[in-house]
Amino acid sequence: MHYLTFDLSEDDAGTLTIEALASTPAAQHAAVMAEVRRILEWARARFPDTHGPLDEGMDWDDDLQVQVEDGGWHSVALTLAASARFAEAFREAFPGALGEAD
């Protein structure tokens, strides 16, 4: 990953959230979206039958927000609600993304 930066958090209920963010000029927006697609394609392939609300027993859910800001900058926020097993598999698939050393 070259454009997205990641943050992992946990709420009081134990729900893990992986947030991937990028803000780039328009010329780099396609590359950012390619990184988003890579993550979502991995998630769909690795956890094909457990996409949906975590409170219904699923492993992951997603929310993608894209905004064009003043000056042509594009902001992208991909939020993944994740089970512990999804987060662990994410760490393995994308080493270093969540702050661990590559």
Side-chain angles (χ1 to χ4, degrees):
M1 299 289 151
H2 298 286
Y3 296 97
L4 293 170
T5 59
F6 296 86
D7 183 52
L8 175 66
S9 62
E10 183 174 0
D11 67 15
D12 292 339
T15 300
L16 297 167
T17 302
I18 300 168
E19 190 167 38
L21 304 170
S23 183
T24 60
Q28 296 171 325
H29 182 65
V32 172
M33 294 308 295
E35 290 184 0
V36 168
R37 276 190 304 281
R38 180 176 167 206
I39 291 167
L40 292 174
E41 287 171 359
W42 167 84
R44 289 182 187 117
R46 179 70 174 80
F47 295 89
D49 300 321
T50 57
H51 177 246
L54 271 61
D55 60 359
E56 294 179 12
M58 300 298 169
D59 281 306
W60 69 287
D61 207 355
D62 66 294
D63 180 53
L64 177 62
Q65 301 289 321
V66 178
Q67 294 182 324
V68 178
E69 300 175 2
D70 290 340
W73 283 78
H74 289 69
S75 292
V76 175
L78 173 63
T79 304
L80 301 168
S83 68
R85 74 185 199 121
F86 181 95
E88 184 58 33
F90 186 92
R91 279 186 184 99
E92 292 172 8
F94 303 101
L98 298 177
E100 299 89 357
D102 289 342

